[in-house]
C-alpha cells in the first residue's frame, strides 16, 4: 500500500508537469467547439436533404366520412407523384400500413373547414402519425409536414376554383394546420413530441457514450505515455527490482492514468459541452413542444379510447437496472482502455512508438460510437448486436441507445459478462507483460529491426 | 560453502530463444568486495546482472545471493539489493529530491530511517542545490549521480551496477568511479559492476571475471592475474586471452 501510494504520487507529478501531456488537453478543449460548428452545418444540410426527398406514399385514415374528405382522397389518388393507402381506422393503418406516416382526417373536419372558410371558426387540424423505429435524430417528422402540405395545396386549388378569392383569402393561404405525433414502433406507443425536440431530449443518451469514450481514450493515452516513458529512460527496469509487489507497479500505472486522465478530460469535457450546446442549439430550431391538453392529435386518440400515449420524459426515465448497467459498462470501458494503454506503453520502447500505436486507435473508436448513435439497435443482426455489446468500447453506446426504447435484451447480460472477462484477460496479459523477461525480448526485437533498417 | 559468499553463480546458462547469451558461467563474490564483470559488448554482462537482480530467470544453473536462491527467494532478495540499469536515466518532471524521497519511503518505515537515507542520498549525489530542480534539467552525469545515490543510499547489502559510467565524459566517469569506491567501502556495500572499460575496472575493482561470448575466460584478484600472465594491464591480458581462445578454436 505504502509503495503503491509513493508510485502513484510520482506518476501523477511526473505526468501533470509534462507539456507533452497537458498541451493536448488544451488543444482538444479548443478544437471541439470548432468541430461543433462543422457538425451543426452538416446537420442543417442533412435536415434539408431529408426534407427535400420527394414524398412517395402515405396512408390516409378518413374518420370524417364527409364529402370533403372523400374529395381529398380522390384528389390524392389522382395524383401521380404520391401513392396513397386508405384505411378505416388508426390501428389498422398502423398494423397493416407501410407508409412512413399516416394522415388522419378527424371527425368533424369538413364542418370545421366550412366554418373556417366562412371566417367564423378555428383552423381545421389534420392529425399526422409519424412512424419511427427509435427516437433518434427525428428529422423525419419534417417530411410529415410536407405530406400535409400536399393536402393543403389540394384544398387551396379547390377553394380558389369554387369561391371568390377575397372572401377565402386566409383559408386560401392557410387551409389547414397539422399536428404530428410519433409512433415508437418497438414499444408500440404514441409519443407526443415532434422529432426535433425528441432529439433534444435524447441527446444525453447520444452524448454520454462519447464523453465516456473521451475520458477512456485520454486515460489510455496517459497510461501508454507514462509506461513508454519508463521504458525510454530505463526507470521501469529499476522499478522491477524495488522491494514492492508487482501488482503495485501495475495498479499505480492504471490508477495514475485514471487520475491524470480524469483531470485532463475535464478540459476536453468542457470543450465538448460547448460543442454539444452548439449542436443542440442548431437542432432546437426545428423543435416544437406539444402540450397534451392542447394537442388535437392526443385529444383524438383519447376520444377513440387509445391509451398507449407516453410523454417523451418517460422515455428518459430509465429502469434503474439499465442505468446501473450503463455506469458499470462505463467503468469497464475506461478500465479496459487503461489496461490497454499500459500494454501498449510497455511494448513501446519510447513515447514516439507508443503514440504511433495510440493515435490510430481514437478514430475507429469514435466512428464506432457515432455509428451506433445513428443506427437502430433493434434492426441489427442479433449476433452483431451481441458482439457490439461484448466489446467494452461499443457496449456503452449501444446500451444507451437501448435504454431509450427501454428494451432489456438477453444479449445485454451476456455482453456484460463477456466484456468483463475480456477486461480481466487483458489485465492478466498485461501483468504477465510486466516482467523483464517478456519486455526484454520485445524491445530487443524492435531495436534489432530498427538497426537492420538503419543499415 | 555458498553461504559464505555474497554472490554464488554456478554453471549459469541463459538462452533467448535460439541465442545462447550465457554458456554456463561460474563465479563468486565475497562480502565487502568490489567485483568487476569485464568484457566486450554482447559478452553477456547485462544478462548476468539482470539475473542477479531478479529481473530475468536462469535457463539452467543456480544463482545464490547471501545463500538465497534467486528464483525461489526473489522477493526476499529484492529487500537486500539495489540495481542500476545500463544507461539509466531519470523521470523528467520530478526533482532529484522528490525521487530520492520516494525511494526512501519505499525502503523504510520509520521517519528517522527515511530522513537519514535522503540525507545520505543528497550527499552521495553531491550536486548541491540542483537536487531541488526537475531532473530534466540535469546533465547526463548528474542524472547518473542521482541514480547511483538512489542505489547506494538505502545501504543495500549488494549493489549491482551495470556499466555505471557508460555514456559519460571522462570527468563525469571519474567522479562516478570515485563515488562508488568511496561509499562502497564506507558503507560496507558489496558491489558487482560491469564494464567494457578495462582501465576503469583495474582502477576500482578488487577482483574481476573476464567474460566473452557468454563464457568466463579468467577470474581472480587483478594483481594476481597480471602477475600470472606477466602483463601490466587488463587490456593486454584480455587480448592475450582472446588470441588464445581463437588459436584453440582454430586448432
Ligand atoms: N532480449 C534478448 N533477446 C535475444 N537476444 C538477446 C537479448 N538480450 C541480449 N541478447 C543477446 O545476448 C547476448 C548478450 O547480451 P548482453 O547481456 O546485453 O551483453 P553485454 O551487456 O555484455 O553487452 C548478445 O549477443 C545479445 O545480442
Ligand atoms: Mg550490457
Amino acid at each position: 500500500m505504502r509503495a503503491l501510494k509513493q508510485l502513484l504520487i510520482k506518476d501523477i507529478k511526473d505526468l501533470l508537469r509534462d507539456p507533452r501531456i497537458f498541451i493536448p488537453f488544451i488543444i482538444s478543449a479548443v478544437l471541439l467547439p470548432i468541430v461543433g460548428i462543422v457538425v451543426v452545418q452538416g446537420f442543417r444540410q442533412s435536415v434539408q436533404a431529408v426534407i427535400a426527398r420527394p414524398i412517395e406514399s402515405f396512408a390516409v385514415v378518413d374518420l370524417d366520412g364527409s364529402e370533403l374528405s372523400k374529395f381529398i382522397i380522390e384528389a390524392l389518388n389522382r395524383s401521380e407523384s404520391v401513392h396513397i393507402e386508405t384505411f378505416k381506422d388508426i390501428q389498422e393503418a398502423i398494423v397493416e400500413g407501410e407508409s412512413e406516416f399516416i394522415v388522419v382526417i378527424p371527425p368533424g373536419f369538413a364542418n370545421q373547414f366550412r366554418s373556417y372558410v366562412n371566417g367564423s371558426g378555428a383552423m381545421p387540424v389534420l392529425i399526422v402519425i409519424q412512424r419511427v423505429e427509435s427516437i433518434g435524430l427525428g428529422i423525419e417528422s419534417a417530411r410529415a409536414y410536407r405530406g400535409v402540405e400536399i393536402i393543403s395545396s389540394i384544398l387551396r386549388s379547390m377553394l380558389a376554383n369554387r369561391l371568390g378569392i377575397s372572401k377565402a383569402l386566409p383559408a386560401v393561404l392557410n387551409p389547414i394546420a397539422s399536428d404530428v405525433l410519433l409512433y415508437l414502433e418497438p414499444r408500440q406507443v404514441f409519443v407526443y413530441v415532434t422529432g426535433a425536440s425528441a432529439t433534444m431530449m435524447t441527446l444525453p443518451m447520444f452524448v454520454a457514450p462519447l464523453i465516456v469514450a473521451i475520458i477512456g481514450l485520454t486515460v489510455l493515452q496517459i497510461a501508454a505515455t507514462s509506461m513508454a516513458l519508463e521504458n525510454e529512460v530505463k526507470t521501469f527496469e529499476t522499478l522491477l527490482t524495488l522491494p514492492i509487489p508487482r501488482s503495485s507497479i501495475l495498479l499505480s500505472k492504471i490508477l495514475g492514468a485514471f487520475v491524470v486522465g480524469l483531470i485532463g478530460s475535464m478540459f476536453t469535457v468542457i470543450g465538448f459541452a460547448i460543442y454539444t450546446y452548439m449542436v443542440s442549439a442548431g437542432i432546437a430550431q426545428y423543435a416544437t413542444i406539444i402540450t397534451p391538453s392542447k394537442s388535437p392529435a392526443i385529444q383524438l386518440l383519447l376520444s377513440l379510447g387509445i391509451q398507449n400515449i407516453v410523454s417523451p420524459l418517460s422515455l428518459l426515465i430509465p429502469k434503474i437496472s439499465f442505468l446501473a448497467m450503463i455506469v458499470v459498462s462505463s467503468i469497464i470501458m475506461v478500465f479496459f482502455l487503461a489496461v490497454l494503454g499500459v500494454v501498449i506503453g510497455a511494448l513501446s520502447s519510447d513515447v514516439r512508438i507508443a503514440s504511433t500505436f495510440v493515435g490510430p486507435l481514437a478514430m475507429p473508436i469514435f466512428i464506432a460510437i457515432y455509428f451506433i448513435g445513428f443506427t437502430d439497435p433493434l434492426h441489427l443482426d442479433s449476433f452483431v448486436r451481441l458482439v457490439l455489446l461484448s466489446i467494452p468500447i461499443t457496449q456503452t453506446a449501444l446500451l444507451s441507445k437501448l435504454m431509450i426504447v427501454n428494451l432489456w435484451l438477453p444479449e445485454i447480460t451476456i455482453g456484460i459478462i463477456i466484456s468483463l472477462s475480456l477486461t480481466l484477460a487483458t489485465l492478466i496479459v498485461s501483468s504477465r507483460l510486466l516482467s523483464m523477461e517478456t519486455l526484454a525480448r520485445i524491445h530487443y526485437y524492435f531495436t534489432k529491426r530498427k538497426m537492420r533498417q538503419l543499415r | 560453502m555458498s553461504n559464505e559468499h555474497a554472490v554464488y553463480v554456478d554453471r549459469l546458462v541463459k538462452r533467448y530463444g535460439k541465442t545462447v547469451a550465457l554458456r554456463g558461467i561460474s563465479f563468486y563474490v565475497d562480502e565487502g568486495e568490489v567485483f568487476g564483470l569485464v568484457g566486450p559488448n554482447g559478452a553477456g554482462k547485462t544478462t548476468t546482472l539482470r539475473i542477479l537482480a531478479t529481473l530475468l530467470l536462469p535457463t539452467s544453473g543456480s544463482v545464490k545471493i547471501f545463500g538465497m536462491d534467486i528464483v525461489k527467494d526473489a522477493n526476499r532478495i529484492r529487500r537486500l539489493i539495489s540495481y542500476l540499469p545500463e544507461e539509466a536515466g531519470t523521470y523528467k518532471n520530478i526533482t532529484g529530491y522528490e525521487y530520492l524521497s520516494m525511494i526512501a519511503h519505499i525502503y523504510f518505515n520509520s521517519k528517522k530511517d527515511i530522513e537519514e537515507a535522503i540525507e545520505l542520498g543528497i550527499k552521495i549525489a553531491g550536486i548541491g542545490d540542483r537536487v531541488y530542480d526537475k531532473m530534466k534539467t540535469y546533465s547526463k552525469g548528474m542524472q547518473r549521480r542521482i541514480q547511483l545515490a538512489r542505489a547506494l543510499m538505502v545501504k543495500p547489502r549488494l549493489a549491482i551496477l551495470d556499466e555505471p559510467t557508460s555514456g559519460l565524459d571522462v570527468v563525469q566517469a571519474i567522479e562516478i568511479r570515485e563515488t562508488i569506491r568511496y561509499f562502497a567501502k564506507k558503507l560496507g556495500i558489496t558491489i558487482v559492476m560491469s564494464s567494457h572499460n578495462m582501465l576503469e575496472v583495474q582502477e576500482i575493482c578488487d577482483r574481476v571475471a573476464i567474460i566473452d561470448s557468454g563464457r568466463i575466460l579468467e577470474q581472480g584478484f587483478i594483481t594476481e592475474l597480471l602477475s600470472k600472465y606477466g602483463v601490466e594491464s587488463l587490456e593486454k591480458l584480455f587480448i592475450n586471452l582472446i588470441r588464445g581462445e581463437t588459436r584453440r578454436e582454430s586448432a
Side-chain angles (χ1 to χ4, degrees), chain A residues 70-102:
Chain A
K70 282 179 190 138
F71 171 79
I72 292 173
I73 292 171
E74 272 169 28
L76 287 170
N77 276 332
R78 271 199 305 275
S79 151
E80 281 170 8
S81 54
V82 283
H83 169 73
I84 301 297
E85 301 178 296
T86 45
F87 294 99
K88 287 265 147 21
D89 72 71
I90 296 176
Q91 290 298 354
E92 189 187 87
I94 284 173
V95 176
E96 290 171 19
E98 282 169 359
S99 309
E100 53 181 313
F101 58 88
I102 302 158

Side-chain angles (χ1 to χ4, degrees), chain A residues 362-376:
Chain A
M363 252 325 187
I365 289 179
F366 277 113
I367 289 173
I369 291 173
Y370 261 107
F371 163 77
I372 291 169
F374 284 105
T375 39
D376 168 19

Side-chain angles (χ1 to χ4, degrees), chain B residues 41-42 44-47 86 162-163 194:
Chain B
N41 288 333
K45 304 182 295 294
T46 298
T47 304
E86 192 175 2
D162 194 0
E163 309 231 13
S194 75

